[in-house]
Amino acid sequence: MILATRISSPRPQMRKEPRQARSRATVESIVQAGTRVLSDRGWAGFNTNEVADTAGVSIGSLYQYFPDKEALVEAILQRHLDDVLAVLSESEAGGRSLKQLVDDLVTGMIAAHGVHPALHRVLLDVVAPHLGSSPAQAKFEATYLARYRAIVAACPRSRGKAADEIVAQVLCAMIEGVIHSAARSGALKSDELKRELIHAAYSYLTGGEP
Amino acid sequence: MILATRISSPRPQMRKEPRQARSRATVESIVQAGTRVLSDRGWAGFNTNEVADTAGVSIGSLYQYFPDKEALVEAILQRHLDDVLAVLSESEAGGRSLKQLVDDLVTGMIAAHGVHPALHRVLLDVVAPHLGSSPAQAKFEATYLARYRAIVAACPRSRGKAADEIVAQVLCAMIEGVIHSAARSGALKSDELKRELIHAAYSYLTGGEP
Amino acid sequence: MILATRISSPRPQMRKEPRQARSRATVESIVQAGTRVLSDRGWAGFNTNEVADTAGVSIGSLYQYFPDKEALVEAILQRHLDDVLAVLSESEAGGRSLKQLVDDLVTGMIAAHGVHPALHRVLLDVVAPHLGSSPAQAKFEATYLARYRAIVAACPRSRGKAADEIVAQVLCAMIEGVIHSAARSGALKSDELKRELIHAAYSYLTGGEP
Amino acid sequence: MILATRISSPRPQMRKEPRQARSRATVESIVQAGTRVLSDRGWAGFNTNEVADTAGVSIGSLYQYFPDKEALVEAILQRHLDDVLAVLSESEAGGRSLKQLVDDLVTGMIAAHGVHPALHRVLLDVVAPHLGSSPAQAKFEATYLARYRAIVAACPRSRGKAADEIVAQVLCAMIEGVIHSAARSGALKSDELKRELIHAAYSYLTGGEP
DNA sequence: GATGAATGAGTATTCATTCAT
DNA sequence: CATGAATGAATACTCATTCAT
């Protein structure tokens, strides 16, 4: 199992850029099949032969475009992170009040995790720790945190720069924690949960020194 | 891979109860070796031959006491959950004020996760989802949530029963989220983080309706 | 050992149908090698690695076509039963007199057991009892017994339906018993034996009430 | 698996003769447990640890008396053959007419196979072929065939010596075949079967030249 | 003698990856 | 380029047998 060892040396993400329409369609179907298999069967049931079968493509074709299993997983991760960012950015047009910002953020995050909850958990909990942080993840984290920082910055409570950074991380972690937990228990769409989460985040940002 | 399918039928945790001192030592060394391997190499690198080697024991001895790989993992999980509960309970003697309760809880949770951070993440993120909730986990979760419920109950804000349950879950999820995130980034021992987490939890519990 | 427990649920006989000429040759060589190993080394010496080696094929190739050891054994059994039926049917064009029918049957049965005596014994004595009666066996037994029933029906001695059934079974068992015994002692090709067996069968069918 | 290869060199059947009462009891319980396991679980489920467990004896004790698995199996076989001979000899006091002799023989054979039908089949079909013909088997076969020869000799039909030998073997094989088949289908106690078998044997012995 | 803990060679099976067609 | 047959290192698990206590 290659993923057992962290590989830090830069590998080509793709063996060969798909130039023609047919090639692009093949790659597309492979990534989608991989997404489906990973989501349905979990990491333990994810193997390249199964993915090729599901994609209706020969195993040889899969390896034509992805040098190894890891590259495939990375592509799946990349694609998913892009999807999540896209969903997230849709909630960014919101108002200016802190209350509004928090509401929009939580709404966006919940929507983002609704894309593919099972996949998200597998990718983030199981796959990501094995992958040396890829550019995909770096960009994702950056965009992600920027949003949090913007909110913290919009928060009137006086704090130093360093403190702000920590607050952003705590805010991020607590929102993610609650949403992941809700995803696990299937309560992701509960309005009550959303209200509580917004309340928790807002309280944290505005709560006076205890 | 056995873990790929949820097995709900109760299997015997151990094939044979170790009676003599020597065999108890063997089982002990197997569980410890398993813990070490799982923690160091992750789930993908966890295999019974490696564990037996690490324990300095033959593969046959491992299977004399554990009917299969899954049973070994369960024993490791069991043992870890017991450790965490033990650490957690040490922080329970605390005061009566809500502030004190929250402080003790966060202190205990941070300490609990300091036991074996890497192991904890593998067990909870990767292993647990595959295991049909074992008695070990059930007891653990119960004890866990009881603590949270006690705090929510001690909180003056008026809420219905159902609401209390949700608040307990959100509180639990946010604390876990922050601590796991900190464990990942190695910031688990930061005092600043602890302060922020306590602040967040306390604010959530006492924050007025926005 | 999978064969220790009767498995009644229908499994796919083959994991993948061999399409190309090359793969058909591979499957063929695997089945033949399996036949050879089972015949030469007996059930205890029959293992998939040995079969793959003998076939000059990698172990992976074996499992590409047969989901497990049991399926391979079933294929070998199937093939052998087909061979036996084929040999048996060659003796069916015989005359109309009872004497002729019995002669043809015994001739056919001896020829059938000459195909692969050692294999036949292993398959019937050791393997078959473990396999939940497969379609292959069902068809085989049916064809087998039909032949016996036809003979009993052609026998003038008056008997009820139920009695006929028992006579067919006794006739079948006694012929099989003698032939198996002869196979064990290597006397299968003795003309004297054949004469005696025919005599025994004919006497049984025509003997008056004692 | 030792039984996979025929061992022709004479081994000591027992490592150590049990002298004291306790030792004899231990050996007795081991052989009985082995008989039970072989009969219930079949050859595939027969292993020395299981036998020792069933006997309520440590695996070490088993190997104190039996040098290896094969010796144990041989002892079980020996014991069973003795039992069968004992049952068989009870039917030997019969009358003088051929009809009476045949009746007694069939009665005795059916009774003998009723001792432990499942065990008998496993021992004779699976185990015996692996064992180089032991003294136990030799004596058994001799006694067995003697009975058949006596009957053939009592039969008035004129035949040469060599012919008589073949008749005895065919008679033996056909009776065994029918009884084994009946044991398989659970019809061993059917009176109708017994009558047919006697009829078949008698017809064979008295049938005129066809 | 008796015990049962320990051993390890052996066996079934999977799956990432290659390469001839 | 696409195919899918073939590979084999890796891994879970069994069971006959030994030997220290």
Side-chain angles (χ1 to χ4, degrees), chain B residues 60-120:
Chain B
S61 288
L62 192 155
Y63 280 93
Q64 195 118 58
Y65 298 105
F66 300 95
D68 52 28
K69 192 183 175 181
E70 194 186 356
L72 173 58
V73 168
E74 226 161 71
I76 294 171
L77 175 60
Q78 171 106 258
R79 165 88 48 119
H80 179 66
L81 295 184
D82 285 349
D83 287 353
V84 169
L85 279 188
V87 170
L88 204 55
S89 71
E90 280 175 16
S91 68
E92 209 160 359
R96 293 299 90 193
S97 78
L98 182 63
K99 188 75 190 13
Q100 192 61 44
L101 284 172
V102 169
D103 194 299
D104 289 350
L105 177 70
V106 170
T107 302
M109 289 294 295
I110 289 179
H113 283 80
V115 172
H116 237 326
L119 178 70
H120 195 86

Side-chain angles (χ1 to χ4, degrees), chain C residues 170 174 200 203-204, chain D residues 98 102-103 105-106 148 151 171 174-175 195-207:
Chain C
V170 167
M174 77 185 249
S203 300
Y204 172 46
Chain D
L98 182 63
V102 169
D103 195 300
L105 176 70
V106 170
Y148 284 95
I151 289 184
L171 186 66
M174 77 183 249
I175 291 180
R195 220 178 312 123
E196 284 297 319
L197 182 49
I198 290 173
H199 179 54
Y202 189 74
S203 299
Y204 172 45
L205 287 169
T206 61

Side-chain angles (χ1 to χ4, degrees), chain A residues 121-153:
Chain A
R121 202 152 56 249
V122 172
L123 283 174
L124 272 293
D125 289 347
V126 184
V127 175
H130 289 297
L131 265 39
S133 53
S134 63
Q137 283 180 82
K139 185 196 161 199
F140 178 72
E141 298 247 335
T143 315
Y144 216 69
L145 268 180
R147 185 86 178 265
Y148 283 96
R149 281 204 209 87
I151 289 185
V152 173

